[in-house]
Amino acid sequence: MAREYETVIGLEVHVELATNTKIFCGCSTAFGGYPNSHTCPVCTGMPGALPVLNRRVLEHAVAVGLATNCEIVRHSGFDRKNYFYPDNPQNYQISQLYLPVCRDGWIEIEQAGTTKTIGIHEIHMEEDAGKLIHDEMENCTLIDYNRAGVPLIEIVSEPDMCSAEEVIAYLEKLKMLIKYLGASDCKLQEGSMRVDVNLSVKEKGAAQPGTRTEMKNLNSFHSIRKAIECERNRQIELLEAGGEVTQETRRWDETKEISYCMRSKEDVQDYRYFPDPDLVPIKIEEEFLEEVRARQPEFRPEKMLRYKREYDIPEYDIGIITESRHMADIFEETVALGAQPKKVSNWLMVETLRILKEKEKDPEDISFSPKHLADLIAMVEERQINSTVAKEVFEVMFESDVDPKQYVEKKGLKMVSDDTALRKILEEVIAANSQSVADYRNGKERALGFLVGQTMKAMKGKADPGAVNQLLRDMLQ
Amino acid sequence: MDKSVLLEMSATELAEAIRKRKTTATEAMEAVLEQIERTEECYHCYVTIDRERAQLQATEIQKKIETGEVSGPLAGVPVAIKDNICTEGMRTTCASRMLENYIPTFSAQAVLNLEKAGAIVIGKTNMDEFAMGSTTETSAFGVTKNPRNSEYVPGGSSGGSAAAVASGECFFALGSDTGGSVRQPAAYCGIVGMKPTYGTVSRYGLVAYGSSLDQIGPLCKTVEDCAVVLETIASYDSKDSTSIRREEGAFTAALIRNVQGMRIGVPRDYLGAGLSDEVRDAVVRAAELLRTEGAQVEEFDLSLVDYAVPAYYTIASAEASSNLERYDGVKYGYRADEVRDLHQMYRKTRAQGFGTEVKRRIMLGSYVLSSGYYDAYYLKALRVKAMLKEVFSRTFDRYDCILGPVTPTTAPKLGESLKDPIQMYLSDIYTISANLLGLPAISIPCGADSKGLPIGLQLIGDCYQEKKLIQIAYTFEQIYREGR
């Protein structure tokens, strides 16, 4: 390959908003209900039913717009996107085409120390569709409208990215902002964040952009990265072979790691968009904007600066803890309860992250209370339990947020600090391990370790290893 | 009480008679059902009549009236509902094969308001399919005939409601008015029909045709009934985003005979070419009567009138094409048999489920919204609407209301209108501006032609000026009756 190519990528990111009720009716947005149990005449498209905008949806959309430096459009509106498909009960989707609620924003991504600005073309609100379930046995298709009308925002970027790394960095940044806002949990796997990749290639330095394709069905960062690589290579191979890229929508096959054409430009439907006459124009007053602004949280950069000022923990720790607002909140609350910042940070960065990784969970899934973490740390400090026991207790706490004090009490895990009891065990250990005793006395330090281990074993771990160590030395002198 | 006397009463008179124990809700219902027995076969006003439910409810309401649980100006009065207004548990077909067996799970807010006031639903009235038409001849369930002369159409699309009121098959009815569908049949059948300001009556439960134009309105024997019914059905409804909170007080407070100093403008454009001489004469006479009663009546030039019809049909069809997409055979309603795949099911279901006029408007609407034509048609129609708004707004700076005809002619003969849809559309010229601009308008009888067919007089007011219209209409009704 003599020629060099540049990749041009823009993203369309759908984010399911964390509202209790749907965008145009009062039905629950809870995931996993019995099919069609979260429906009403509005979200099943019954004749005579009418949509009414859920104010929370607008608040979330505006909050995301503000966090991504968008212009908030003061007079926006909903449009109908008309297309026939059974997952769409009205056969039109209520969306925003002509006047989206936010536009012309940007966010910064950082990679290897350099910062790049990625433009955001617009953010618009729309309703999700229902789910089709194909029953192979009965050879029929069933519809579940529970998801129909769940609120979404679509964040459309400018074509400002040129690699999978930038795409991932952009998505990570978006995810973090949106999660900080509490506007969504942004889970790719579960579909609360859906990413479509628009990609084209052009010869390096060429002024004209190449023909782009749109890639759908990307359910993980891994898929996104892989799909970008494959699509870039596919397009370059086409061009190298003297062919042309056709404008089309492609679908990524996660297991085969290839994509195939879903529909080409010729099949592009005419959606006959027009303003939805059932919904009044959205007018955003200064007062509303102020309310949303006032509720914006402290985002990561400010939070990191404040942590540097307020807490005596390494910058590395600050970076990790503030990646998640939930984790940062737990950190702050635990410290506020009297725990030493570095101790709290250690529990979060080591044990917590290890368990999260094991269980393939997000920091948002942490459910133990700061009070219990503070208690656990205090118990270690006060030498009521040793660190091994503390880790055991923490695992249980992570699962079910048990009160560590009660748990330790109930399970009898308190350290035995009573000298006479310990002395008795030690005497037994010394008597049973004469060889090791002799080795130690002959200057083999390691033999002491063995004896301490034996003692801990006999004490079922409930002893303070430091105290055992000290007492053993005294007794062997 | 003698049933023929009962049937002559207005809704307000009947309710008063019931309140004063001169008759009962049960007796009134019996009278109406007997009248239906006598004349329904000829006129075919209804698509669905639920005698059992009506009688049962009449008995219940009568009890509640006696215990004082239900009072108010419509308690015990039998009402007919246009079949595009949802009634819980009662078939709502929109006179379409598509919804032939559709039973709503909820009632329209307007119906709930009536029921709360003690009115009793007899059944659902015939109409043009999905309210598209001006004669009630596009109904999938047969035509309705004009009770004034059964060789003629009752008008449309609320033809069944108008005919039911005119024939005594109910005491009053609800219709819906998207381009004149309440006022025009009221004019053809010689009764009173009113389209309120857009947003006054909740559209929740009204099956949408042209969402930005649709309003539910009353069809009544008298202006007084009209004010009473409007007062009952009007309510702010949080389920309808376009609903408006009206706070100017009772519409019935405007039932006053007085037009002293009222400024009434008669557009020359509404009296020109295309208007039949008999209708013109009746309208001009009506204007004269109001002048004698003390109103300042003058002619003026409205302008842009010719653009209203094309703009209206563009917007109405565009909205209809989208509103009717939900009828696809998937969730409810008609579904074609023997289909190979999804798209064939859509095609066959819609080809078989919809009638010609509905399909024509869906195609027209899809066309004006399609890419490449959106600007040329749909946006241009919106611009015409904006210009019309200015013209009318200036007009209402000078006049309390606009007076003119409802229709260019009296009712056409059955079977004559559908051959030439364009001609039929053009006959909406006097009524559609009120829908495009959301204005209130009322149609009241003002004479008859040589064949004895009724002629309607239309009064159009500025937004929220129903009370002025009611006052002028009420005054005219009094003088007109005296003169007759």
Side-chain angles (χ1 to χ4, degrees):
Chain A
M1 267 197 276
R3 282 173 283 193
E4 268 191 77
Y5 290 89
E6 282 173 356
T7 317
V8 179
I9 306 170
L11 299 184
E12 289 166 21
V13 179
H14 282 92
V15 174
E16 213 175 83
L17 296 177
T19 53
N20 295 326
T21 55
K22 292 185 179 181
I23 182 166
F24 298 122
C25 63
C27 290
S28 164
T29 55
F31 184 76
Y34 188 78
N36 296 306
S37 59
H38 300 162
T39 60
C40 72
V42 176
C43 59
T44 51
M46 291 291 167
L50 294 170
V52 176
L53 177 63
N54 176 350
R55 189 185 149 100
R56 290 289 296 152
V57 173
L58 184 64
E59 288 171 2
H60 279 316
V62 169
V64 175
L66 289 173
T68 51
N69 308 295
C70 282
E71 174 207 336
I72 307 301
V73 179
R74 295 308 188 89
H75 291 89
S76 70
F78 283 102
D79 304 298
R80 292 187 185 173
K81 179 183 184 179
N82 299 285
Y83 67 96
F84 277 83
Y85 203 63
D87 65 358
N88 180 356
Q90 305 148 130
N91 286 318
Y92 58 81
Q93 179 196 30
I94 305 178
S95 180
Q96 295 191 291
L97 176 81
Y98 296 111
L99 293 166
V101 65
C102 312
R103 60 183 172 210
D104 297 334
W106 51 267
I107 58 174
E108 279 181 345
I109 57 169
E110 268 164 56
Q111 272 195 296
T114 57
T115 306
K116 183 173 175 180
T117 302
I118 308 293
I120 287 172
H121 183 74
E122 67 172 63
I123 301 176
H124 63 254
M125 301 177 277
E126 61 188 27
E127 55 178 347
D128 207 346
K131 225 180 219 166
L132 296 189
I133 300 139
H134 302 279
D135 187 334
E136 302 285 337
M137 304 282 283
E138 298 280 331
N139 189 29
C140 67
T141 304
L142 302 165
I143 313 172
D144 178 4
Y145 286 124
N146 281 354
R147 203 181 61 188
V150 166
L152 300 174
I153 50 171
E154 181 175 344
I155 305 163
V156 183
S157 84
E158 298 292 351
D160 288 346
M161 287 158 275
C162 58
S163 68
E165 286 66 39
E166 286 187 2
V167 167
I168 303 290
Y170 168 81
L171 289 171
E172 294 274 21
K173 183 70 182 272
L174 263 191
K175 259 180 91 164
M176 194 186 59
L177 287 173
I178 294 168
K179 283 159 87 171
Y180 255 78
L181 287 165
S184 172
D185 59 9
C186 292
K187 288 184 176 172
L188 277 157
Q189 237 94 20
E190 290 176 18
S192 60
M193 186 180 210
R194 290 164 233 166
V195 180
D196 299 339
V197 174
N198 289 298
L199 185 149
S200 65
V201 296
K202 60 172 185 180
E203 258 191 81
K204 196 165 186 180
Q208 284 294 315
T211 306
R212 67 186 159 86
T213 60
E214 182 181 351
M215 188 72 69
K216 286 187 177 288
N217 197 39
L218 301 164
N219 301 323
S220 65
F221 280 164
H222 176 78
S223 289
I224 291 168
R225 188 184 296 277
K226 201 77 197 167
I228 288 172
E229 278 167 27
C230 289
E231 183 57 15
R232 171 188 151 86
N233 293 338
R234 192 189 67 87
Q235 290 189 13
I236 291 172
E237 273 167 33
L238 269 173
L239 296 177
E240 287 289 307
E244 274 181 8
V245 175
T246 35
Q247 192 178 331
E248 61 193 9
T249 305
R250 302 181 66 84
R251 188 182 164 86
W252 179 249
D253 186 322
E254 204 170 18
T255 40
K256 292 186 189 148
E257 299 209 321
I258 50 165
S259 68
Y260 55 88
C261 179
M262 261 171 85
R263 52 173 184 264
S264 67
K265 197 187 175 185
E266 288 79 62
D267 309 329
V268 164
Q269 295 186 50
D270 184 349
Y271 291 122
R272 291 175 285 118
Y273 278 101
F274 78 108
D276 192 327
D278 284 336
L279 289 153
V280 287
I282 304 162
K283 203 173 157 204
I284 295 180
E285 308 279 1
E286 192 55 41
E287 203 184 340
F288 175 87
L289 212 50
E290 274 314 309
E291 266 176 53
V292 178
R293 257 194 214 114
R295 275 201 301 269
Q296 294 292 86
E298 175 191 45
F299 285 107
R300 193 174 176 220
E302 305 100 81
K303 204 183 270 294
M304 287 174 76
L305 284 176
R306 182 166 62 82
Y307 279 21
K308 265 182 220 173
R309 283 197 313 272
E310 292 181 7
Y311 304 111
D312 183 22
I313 52 171
E315 219 165 298
Y316 177 76
D317 292 27
I318 292 177
I320 288 180
I321 288 170
T322 55
E323 262 174 28
S324 147
R325 181 182 166 191
H326 184 55
M327 180 110 98
D329 286 346
I330 291 176
F331 170 79
E332 286 187 48
E333 285 170 44
T334 312
V335 171
L337 290 164
Q340 193 194 325
K342 181 59 189 157
K343 291 258 154 59
V344 180
S345 142
N346 284 348
W347 277 106
L348 292 175
M349 304 219 343
V350 184
E351 284 307 295
T352 306
L353 288 184
R354 177 183 65 76
I355 301 174
L356 284 175
K357 206 176 165 196
E358 260 174 38
K359 299 190 186 288
E360 291 181 347
K361 285 185 169 179
D362 286 336
E364 278 65 36
D365 299 322
I366 298 175
S367 60
F368 59 78
S369 57
K371 171 83 173 66
H372 291 162
L373 179 57
D375 287 349
L376 186 72
I377 292 172
M379 285 162 79
V380 178
E381 287 296 286
E382 290 157 13
R383 300 177 152 267
Q384 291 183 35
I385 51 173
N386 64 37
S387 62
T388 317
V389 171
K391 279 179 196 169
E392 270 175 52
V393 176
F394 182 77
E395 291 231 12
V396 183
M397 224 172 81
F398 187 94
E399 269 311 305
S400 53
D401 194 28
V402 292
D403 181 336
K405 282 183 184 164
Q406 284 175 11
Y407 184 81
V408 163
E409 201 68 50
K410 207 171 83 191
K411 297 270 168 181
L413 296 174
K414 265 206 175 157
M415 276 200 285
V416 180
S417 48
D418 177 3
D419 241 25
T420 46
L422 188 57
R423 222 171 251 281
K424 193 164 168 269
I425 300 272
L426 278 174
E427 274 163 14
E428 283 167 28
V429 170
I430 288 167
N433 296 285
S434 50
Q435 184 58 48
S436 297
V437 171
D439 289 348
Y440 174 72
R441 286 191 169 132
N442 290 332
K444 282 193 181 164
E445 264 302 305
R446 273 173 54 199
L448 188 76
F450 175 78
L451 292 171
V452 172
Q454 289 301 304
T455 314
M456 291 303 286
K457 204 170 149 190
M459 304 272 307
K460 295 193 175 99
K462 293 185 289 183
D464 178 358
V468 173
N469 204 304
Q470 193 53 50
L471 196 58
L472 197 57
R473 280 178 198 276
D474 292 348
M475 286 169 71
L476 292 180
Q477 219 134 52
Chain B
M1 194 180 253
D2 181 43
K3 279 179 185 149
S4 61
V5 177
L6 262 182
L7 289 174
E8 286 300 309
M9 288 180 169
S10 73
T12 323
E13 286 163 351
L14 173 66
E16 201 194 340
I18 295 172
R19 268 199 308 279
K20 292 190 170 158
R21 306 284 193 266
K22 288 182 181 151
T23 182
T24 61
T26 348
E27 197 177 30
M29 186 56 79
E30 285 313 317
V32 161
L33 291 176
E34 280 170 24
Q35 178 68 7
I36 288 173
E37 226 30 74
R38 276 192 293 274
T39 58
E40 176 62 9
E41 203 183 337
C42 173
Y43 302 138
H44 185 45
C45 305
Y46 288 91
V47 174
T48 304
I49 300 169
D50 195 338
R51 287 184 174 77
E52 228 169 280
R53 185 184 127 134
Q55 282 166 324
L56 206 74
Q57 287 215 328
T59 317
E60 274 176 35
I61 291 288
Q62 182 57 36
K63 273 187 211 148
K64 287 183 180 170
I65 292 168
E66 282 163 21
T67 58
E69 208 177 315
V70 169
S71 57
L74 291 172
V77 181
V79 56
I81 308 288
K82 188 179 181 179
D83 211 16
N84 61 347
I85 301 172
C86 289
T87 40
E88 186 180 340
M90 194 188 279
R91 201 165 70 117
T92 298
T93 70
C94 294
S96 177
R97 198 176 170 196
M98 191 60 97
L99 291 176
E100 189 166 358
N101 296 311
Y102 178 71
I103 299 172
T105 57
F106 63 94
S107 284
Q109 190 57 45
V111 172
L112 293 177
N113 291 353
L114 281 181
E115 287 179 334
K116 200 176 154 211
I120 303 155
V121 177
I122 309 159
K124 308 301 290 290
T125 55
N126 200 16
M127 54 186 279
D128 283 293
E129 184 180 10
F130 282 103
M132 297 176 191
S134 309
T135 62
T136 311
E137 291 172 298
T138 71
S139 165
F141 308 121
V143 299
T144 297
K145 292 172 186 170
N146 191 324
R148 306 293 181 203
N149 185 333
S150 60
E151 284 173 30
Y152 291 82
V153 303
S157 63
S158 312
S161 288
V165 174
S167 64
E169 292 190 23
C170 67
F171 280 86
F172 73 99
L174 290 190
S176 67
D177 192 316
T178 306
S181 284
V182 162
R183 291 161 285 157
Q184 184 255 34
Y188 283 177
C189 293
I191 60 166
V192 182
M194 188 168 194
K195 176 204 132 12
T197 305
Y198 186 76
T200 302
V201 180
S202 167
R203 289 187 301 115
Y204 197 84
L206 169 64
V207 180
Y209 157 24
S211 311
S212 73
L213 310 158
D214 297 338
Q215 261 302 279
I216 291 174
L219 291 110
C220 300
K221 294 179 182 177
T222 66
V223 174
E224 184 185 23
D225 280 4
C226 210
V228 168
V229 175
L230 181 61
E231 203 167 290
T232 308
I233 60 176
S235 66
Y236 170 74
D237 183 4
S238 59
K239 298 188 298 304
D240 173 3
S241 309
T242 60
S243 178
I244 289 168
R245 222 180 276 278
R246 300 284 303 262
E247 280 160 351
E248 71 274 19
F251 295 118
T252 45
L255 292 166
I256 304 162
R257 178 175 171 163
N258 180 11
V259 288
Q260 280 293 332
M262 289 263 202
R263 300 160 304 164
I264 298 172
V266 184
R268 283 187 200 96
D269 327 51
Y270 281 8
L271 299 175
L275 182 65
S276 84
D277 291 342
E278 285 181 303
V279 174
R280 183 187 297 113
D281 291 348
V283 169
V284 170
R285 261 198 319 275
E288 279 310 314
L289 281 178
L290 284 166
R291 194 200 304 269
T292 355
E293 192 72 8
Q296 297 170 24
V297 183
E298 63 179 45
E299 290 191 6
F300 74 104
D301 293 312
L302 187 62
S303 85
L304 289 178
V305 169
D306 290 342
Y307 297 97
V309 171
Y312 168 81
Y313 274 93
T314 302
I315 293 170
S317 303
E319 293 179 4
S321 72
S322 176
N323 283 331
L324 270 61
E325 279 165 354
R326 65 187 63 199
Y327 310 112
D328 57 3
V330 172
K331 306 161 292 282
Y332 47 76
Y334 180 75
R335 179 190 289 180
D337 295 330
E338 288 164 35
V339 290
R340 277 191 314 273
D341 56 30
L342 178 67
H343 284 275
Q344 201 192 26
M345 182 181 91
Y346 283 155
R347 278 199 301 273
K348 275 188 141 182
T349 296
R350 290 168 65 82
Q352 295 166 6
F354 289 137
T356 309
E357 185 58 30
V358 171
K359 280 186 257 191
R360 188 184 346 265
R361 294 195 196 184
I362 289 175
M363 286 192 283
L364 186 63
S366 302
Y367 182 78
V368 300
L369 287 178
S370 53
S371 86
Y373 298 100
Y374 182 82
D375 292 18
Y377 294 107
Y378 184 74
L379 281 190
K380 194 174 274 178
L382 290 187
R383 279 201 293 278
V384 169
K385 178 177 155 173
M387 289 165 77
L388 275 172
K389 196 181 160 101
E390 255 180 58
V391 165
F392 273 80
S393 160
R394 278 202 304 272
T395 303
F396 290 119
D397 287 342
R398 290 161 56 199
Y399 303 110
D400 292 305
C401 89
I402 293 173
L403 179 149
V406 181
T407 54
T409 63
T410 51
K413 270 200 153 149
L414 286 160
E416 281 182 348
S417 304
L418 299 186
K419 282 171 272 177
D420 189 351
I422 297 284
Q423 200 51 47
M424 189 172 78
Y425 296 171
L426 285 172
S427 70
D428 293 342
I429 185 159
Y430 307 126
T431 45
I432 49 184
S433 294
N435 300 85
L436 277 171
L437 308 178
L439 307 171
I442 191 166
S443 162
I444 40 173
C446 72
D449 69 2
S450 51
K451 289 168 285 192
L453 292 168
I455 297 170
L457 173 73
Q458 182 175 218
L459 303 171
I460 306 172
D462 200 358
C463 279
Y464 315 121
Q465 298 302 321
E466 278 88 348
K467 284 168 104 172
K468 277 184 192 166
L469 296 186
I470 289 168
Q471 188 167 337
I472 298 169
Y474 182 75
T475 306
F476 177 76
E477 190 182 50
Q478 306 288 313
I479 331 165
Y480 178 65
R481 284 186 177 175
E482 283 165 11
R484 227 176 9 180

